Amino acid sequence: MPALRRRVTSVLVISQILGGLGMATGVALAAVLVRQVTGSDALSGLASTASVAGTALLSMPLAALMTARGRRPGLVLAYVIGALGAGVVVLGAIVENFPLLLVGLAAFGAASLANLQARFAAADLALPERRGQSISTVVWATTIGAVLGPNIAAPAGRSVAWLGVPSAAGPFVWAAGVFLLAAVVLQTLLRPDPLLTSRALSPADGSPRERSLSASVRAVRESPTAVLALVTIAVSHTVMVSVMSMTPVALSHHGAGIELIGLVISGHIAGMYAFSPVMGRLADRVGRLAVIGLAVALLALAALLAGTAGPSHAQNAAGLFLLGLGWSAGVVAGSALLTDSVPQPARAPVQGLSDLVMNASAGVGGALAGLIVAQAGYGWLNVIGASLLLPLAALTVRRSLG
């Protein structure tokens, strides 16, 4: 088993590096691309909305596929759909068709689903007392590609300008190729399948492996800790996406160029992924609830710094870094707690429900973020984001005392 765990983790790490590179390269300029096509700040928030909406819509179908056939087919299909979506984004940018651009961004979000589900694949064979560390190792692997991606977005855009591709759409050309490479790696090397192996090694369990949304909701409702885990993941992701998606627009309003925007987003992504092993070890050693409390504190501080930054690019960058760090604490601890809280037969569909809820809520947050910034400003966006943390804090305290 130790050798098998190392092999599975190594393959997932490679795929996460590639997937993180593709996602971050495209996402860095997605809002800018939408603004270039539409000429509207209010609509620019729909870039992240379309992407997370696509992730949400595909969450349950791909979870059902994984429940029936294992992790590998679901992860491979997600990356293939993401590559096709990247191609549609490029086409939409060339012909300046906003609806087509949104369709492409929605399909592009499938690659994000592959990145998210990989953390659960790492947990399939992990020992319960090391589950947080296993999840965080795979999350950490995204750092390499995700930090590099925004910094090569501008060169990637220029590299395909001779094809008539707008500079803000060029990164999606590269993303498509990277996603296809990740799919090949998983299809070839993720053997044996971790989820199927976990089932084969588990004691006999007569519980049915239901794939429906209602069955997943029922499994979560039967466990108060699963409810807290789901809320933690959804709130952490919604606050992060809402603020992050509009930060490039806010920075550009204060004179920041593409290179500086890429640097700030790189720092944010480093916060999301680079310190995830720390969060995983903390979740295993001091407890999931303590790390969830830490996530609430970090996200609140991030909103304070970013929301009051004004023309200070350094303060905004610090806020975005803490925003990523808070996301890491919430998602790692929440994912470990969710896996702990439901029986093995229900895990894959419940994990799919988790990705559905987190991306649906973040999609709404991203859509409203553009409108809030257009009507009230970036500072108020951070105030509203911080207010979402209050129910999570209350649930965490209640569970800790109970």
Side-chain angles (χ1 to χ4, degrees):
M1 282 302 297
L4 180 57
R5 290 189 188 103
R6 286 194 297 270
R7 175 181 172 80
V8 167
T9 300
S10 297
V11 175
L12 291 172
V13 163
I14 294 171
S15 71
Q16 287 294 90
I17 293 172
L18 295 171
L21 177 62
M23 282 299 302
T25 303
V27 166
L29 298 180
V32 175
L33 176 60
V34 170
R35 191 180 65 175
Q36 287 178 357
V37 172
T38 64
S40 169
D41 283 350
L43 293 177
S44 61
L46 292 179
S48 63
T49 300
S51 180
V52 297
T55 306
L57 289 172
L58 289 166
S59 295
M60 292 309 297
L62 287 175
L65 176 62
M66 291 182 196
T67 301
R69 300 183 57 189
R71 297 289 185 191
R72 186 175 63 252
L75 295 176
V76 169
L77 180 59
Y79 276 126
V80 170
I81 295 173
L84 293 174
V88 174
V89 168
V90 174
L91 178 60
I94 292 173
V95 300
E96 297 186 345
N97 186 303
F98 181 50
L100 187 62
L101 192 66
L102 292 181
V103 170
L105 286 168
F108 183 78
S112 177
L113 179 60
N115 278 14
L116 292 171
Q117 281 290 315
R119 75 192 193 278
F120 291 125
D124 286 333
L125 297 176
L127 296 171
E129 63 272 18
R130 300 192 65 183
R131 194 164 279 150
Q133 185 174 345
S134 297
I135 291 172
S136 66
T137 298
V138 172
V139 173
W140 170 86
T142 314
T143 308
I144 300 172
V147 173
L148 180 62
N151 289 293
I152 66 172
R158 291 192 294 267
S159 71
V160 293
W162 61 278
L163 294 173
V165 177
S167 60
F172 288 92
V173 176
W174 289 86
V178 171
F179 290 159
L180 291 176
L181 180 57
V184 170
V185 168
L186 289 167
Q187 179 63 31
T188 306
L189 300 178
L190 193 61
R191 300 172 185 276
D193 188 281
L195 180 58
L196 300 183
T197 303
S198 174
R199 287 178 186 161
L201 295 175
S202 296
D205 192 329
S207 303
R209 290 194 289 269
E210 297 184 77
R211 309 175 207 171
S212 68
L213 178 60
S214 60
S216 303
V217 172
R218 185 166 59 252
V220 170
R221 290 179 62 184
E222 290 173 353
S223 170
T225 54
V227 172
L228 173 59
L230 197 62
V231 172
T232 299
I233 295 169
V235 170
S236 300
H237 195 57
T238 300
V239 173
M240 185 277 291
V241 169
S242 300
V243 175
M244 182 275 291
S245 65
M246 295 310 298
T247 297
V249 175
L251 287 171
S252 66
H253 284 165
H254 290 290
I258 289 178
E259 285 76 11
L260 179 57
I261 292 172
L263 186 61
V264 171
I265 297 300
S266 290
H268 165 69
I269 294 173
M272 290 175 65
Y273 301 119
F275 296 91
S276 58
V278 176
M279 301 304 176
R281 290 189 180 93
L282 285 174
D284 287 338
R285 293 180 183 180
V286 304
R288 321 301 197 209
L289 296 181
V291 178
I292 290 173
L294 175 62
V296 171
L298 289 170
L299 291 169
L301 181 57
L304 175 63
L305 289 175
T308 60
S312 173
H313 299 324
Q315 183 175 329
N316 209 328
L320 264 288
F321 173 76
L322 290 178
L323 184 73
L325 205 60
W327 177 91
S328 178
V331 169
V332 169
S335 299
L337 184 62
L338 184 67
T339 305
D340 294 341
S341 304
V342 294
Q344 204 280 341
R347 282 178 187 165
V350 166
Q351 289 159 351
L353 174 65
S354 166
D355 288 344
L356 168 62
V357 172
M358 73 184 286
N359 285 287
S361 57
V364 173
L368 294 177
L371 296 174
I372 293 169
V373 170
Q375 298 297 321
Y378 181 67
W380 276 104
L381 173 64
N382 283 273
V383 170
I384 294 170
S387 69
L388 298 178
L389 299 169
L390 296 176
L392 173 58
L395 279 174
T396 305
V397 171
R398 180 180 178 182
R399 190 63 193 162
S400 299
L401 297 177

